[in-house]
């Protein structure tokens, strides 16, 4: 059966219900009118989504998109003394000006002052407990310099956490979360850290070459450091066998019990993708990615000689994001005050609505459910993009011809935020650009880090 673009989202939500507990009320899908269409252009009328995306990316100029997609502004950079790398903090702007900017952060003080907010002295003086959560380091899988940066940050975070310990004891827990390893292979990671198996045995046991395929050599500095310092490695990714079922048959192909292993908050999961902000995120990040994969002929699953449908591509993507966020949150929940450094792809970090936003949703849900004493702000959820380029911050395939598009040495070219509209604003209305119709903005990340070399 061929689904048109207005129907496919309804099938997605209906399929999700199959893996939801009774707590996911049928009210979530009571009418077609209230069902998410995973398109930012669901009211596009006679114009197709693809035509609008094409029109939008063709109007990119000086960092501004002149259509209903967000209106990113070019970065305003304040320079500072640099070391091995430069750090910039992003300040989004949802005001009428829509003028986000970046400010340089001194690298030597980045972790202590920005990430951990000068916790060391307070913890050592028994004035507060260590703050736990996740620091997401968004990588390019094929870039060794990104992974070397990750190892450097992990080592510095390890030292920072150890310095928080009282009398050299009881240092707050630290772990490394890995998109690169599927959850079924957690025992091999444990044995590797314990020193009972070699690096090669771990790599073979995790089926690195077939399950991940990016060169292990680029990641070696991270794994070597983790074993040396006895930092636990935590598998975050969904098992290929389960992802394949979704990419072939959608969520209806996934057993409910298996689905609940990855989607720990079914009602929240469904509500998350209904938001106007998520529709904008999908149109800017996920849908152009699907179109590019299709044009290049590299969609993973072929069914009867046809490309994977967008519905199944979308379903696989959101399962992937939700599983990583859920597994990270499970670890931080079980290790109070612990910090997990999440090593995941930049696409899962940028513009808030990938893994980062899903992790935040789980934080907020538990806070509301348990009425816990600490606020959501007491759990860290920090997003860092490593060596981002113009390509990373524009829709897939829309910026290849730009000068220096593949270089991270020009952060002034980056799109720093995405603007989304209020729910009741028609995306093609003449007044869509009015400040009063802004629903909010999605920041590229909290920080970006650029290697000097």
């Amino acid at each position: 059966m061929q689904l048109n673009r207005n129907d496919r989202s309804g099938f997605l939500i209906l399929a999700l219900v199959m893996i939801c507990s009774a707590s996911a009320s049928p009210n979530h899908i009571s009418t077609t009118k209230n069902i998410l269409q995973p398109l930012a252009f669901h009211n596009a009328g006679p114009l197709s989504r693809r035509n609008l995306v094409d029109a939008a990316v063709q109007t990119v100029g000086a960092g501004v998109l002149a259509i209903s997609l967000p209106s990113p502004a070019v970065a305003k950079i304040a320079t500072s003394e640099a070391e091995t790398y430069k750090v910039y903090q992003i300040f989004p702007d949802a005001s009428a000006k829509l003028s986000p900017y970046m400010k340089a952060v001194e690298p030597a003080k980045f972790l202590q002052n920005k990430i951990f907010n000068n916790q060391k002295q307070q913890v050592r003086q028994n004035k507060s407990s260590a703050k736990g959560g996740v620091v997401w380091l968004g990588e390019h899988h094929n870039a060794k310099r990104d992974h070397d940066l990750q190892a450097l940050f992990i080592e510095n975070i390890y030292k920072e956490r150890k310095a928080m310990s009282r009398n050299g004891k009881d240092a707050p827990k630290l772990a490394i979360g890995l998109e690169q390893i599927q959850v079924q292979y957690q025992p091999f990671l444990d044995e590797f850290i314990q020193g009972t198996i070699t690096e090669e045995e771990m790599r073979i046991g995790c089926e690195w070459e077939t399950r991940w395929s990016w060169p292990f050599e680029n990641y070696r500095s991270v794994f070597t450091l983790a074993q040396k310092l006895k930092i636990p490695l935590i598998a975050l990714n969904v098992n290929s066998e389960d992802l394949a079922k979704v990419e072939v048959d959608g969520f209806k192909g996934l057993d409910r019990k298996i689905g609940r292993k990855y989607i720990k908050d079914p009602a929240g999961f469904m509500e998350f993708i209904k938001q106007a902000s998520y529709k904008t995120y999908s149109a800017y990040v996920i849908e152009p990615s699907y179109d590019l994969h299709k044009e290049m002929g590299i969609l993973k699953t072929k069914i009867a000689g046809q490309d994977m449908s967008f519905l199944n591509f979308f379903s696989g993507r959101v399962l992937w994001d939700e599983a990583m966020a859920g597994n990270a949150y499970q670890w931080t929940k079980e290790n109070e005050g612990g910090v997990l450094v999440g090593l995941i792809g930049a696409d899962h970090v940028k513009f808030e609505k990938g893994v980062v936003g899903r992790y935040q949703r789980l934080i907020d849900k538990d806070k509301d459910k348990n009425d816990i004493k600490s606020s959501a702000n007491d759990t860290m959820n920090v997003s860092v993009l490593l060596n981002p380029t113009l390509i990373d911050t524009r829709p897939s395939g829309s910026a290849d011809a730009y000068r220096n598009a593949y270089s991270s040495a020009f952060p002034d070219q980056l799109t720093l935020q995405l603007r989304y509209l209020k729910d009741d604003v028609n995306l093609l209305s003449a007044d869509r650009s009015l400040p009063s119709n802004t629903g909010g903005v999605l920041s590229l990340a909290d920080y970006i880090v650029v290697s000097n070399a």
Side-chain angles (χ1 to χ4, degrees), residues 244-306:
K245 293 175 183 176
V246 173
E247 292 180 333
V248 172
D249 292 322
F251 276 103
K252 67 180 183 295
L254 195 63
D255 178 81
R256 178 184 296 184
K257 184 177 180 181
I258 294 176
R260 287 303 304 272
K261 178 174 68 173
Y262 299 120
I263 303 174
K264 299 173 173 63
D265 171 29
F269 171 65
M270 294 169 65
E271 194 63 34
F272 188 79
I273 58 177
K274 292 180 181 179
Q275 301 167 359
S277 56
Y278 194 86
K279 296 174 186 178
T280 296
Y281 170 82
S282 176
Y284 197 85
V285 177
I286 299 179
E287 298 182 40
S289 176
Y290 172 78
D291 290 335
L292 184 64
H293 278 72
K294 186 173 183 178
E295 288 173 3
M296 296 176 67
I298 56 175
L299 286 176
K300 277 202 248 181
T301 301
K302 298 278 186 177
I303 306 172
Q306 297 182 350

Side-chain angles (χ1 to χ4, degrees), residues 175-348:
I176 302 169
L178 299 171
E179 176 188 10
Q180 302 78 15
I181 305 295
Q182 297 170 15
V183 293
Q184 62 185 310
Y185 298 123
Q186 184 62 49
F188 292 101
L189 297 179
D190 295 339
E191 291 179 38
F192 173 70
I193 294 301
Q194 293 163 5
T196 56
I197 63 173
T198 65
E199 176 193 282
E200 183 179 7
E201 290 171 325
M202 179 273 296
R203 198 170 71 247
I204 293 173
C206 294
E207 300 185 33
W208 180 282
E209 278 72 20
T210 55
R211 300 273 176 161
W212 187 244
S213 77
W214 299 99
F216 182 83
E217 291 72 20
N218 292 345
Y219 291 86
R220 179 167 280 118
S221 57
V222 171
F223 283 85
T224 300
L225 177 69
Q227 188 181 56
K228 175 185 175 182
L229 300 180
K230 301 297 181 185
I231 302 174
L233 295 169
I234 308 300
L236 297 181
N237 211 342
V238 61
N239 294 331
S240 292
E241 294 84 354
D242 300 327
L243 183 63
K245 293 175 183 176
V246 173
E247 292 180 333
V248 172
D249 292 322
F251 276 103
K252 67 180 183 295
L254 195 63
D255 178 81
R256 178 184 296 184
K257 184 177 180 181
I258 294 176
R260 287 303 304 272
K261 178 174 68 173
Y262 299 120
I263 303 174
K264 299 173 173 63
D265 171 29
F269 171 65
M270 294 169 65
E271 194 63 34
F272 188 79
I273 58 177
K274 292 180 181 179
Q275 301 167 359
S277 56
Y278 194 86
K279 296 174 186 178
T280 296
Y281 170 82
S282 176
Y284 197 85
V285 177
I286 299 179
E287 298 182 40
S289 176
Y290 172 78
D291 290 335
L292 184 64
H293 278 72
K294 186 173 183 178
E295 288 173 3
M296 296 176 67
I298 56 175
L299 286 176
K300 277 202 248 181
T301 301
K302 298 278 186 177
I303 306 172
Q306 297 182 350
D307 288 327
M308 184 195 316
S309 70
F310 174 79
L311 171 62
N312 292 350
F313 180 88
F314 179 86
S315 299
R317 173 62 178 263
V318 297
L319 176 64
W320 193 310
D321 284 346
E322 185 73 14
M324 291 198 290
N327 290 327
Y329 189 67
Q330 189 68 34
W331 185 90
T332 55
K333 189 175 180 180
E334 294 172 354
N335 295 272
E336 187 176 356
V339 169
L340 183 138
V341 182
L343 310 187
I344 64 178
D347 261 11
H348 300 286

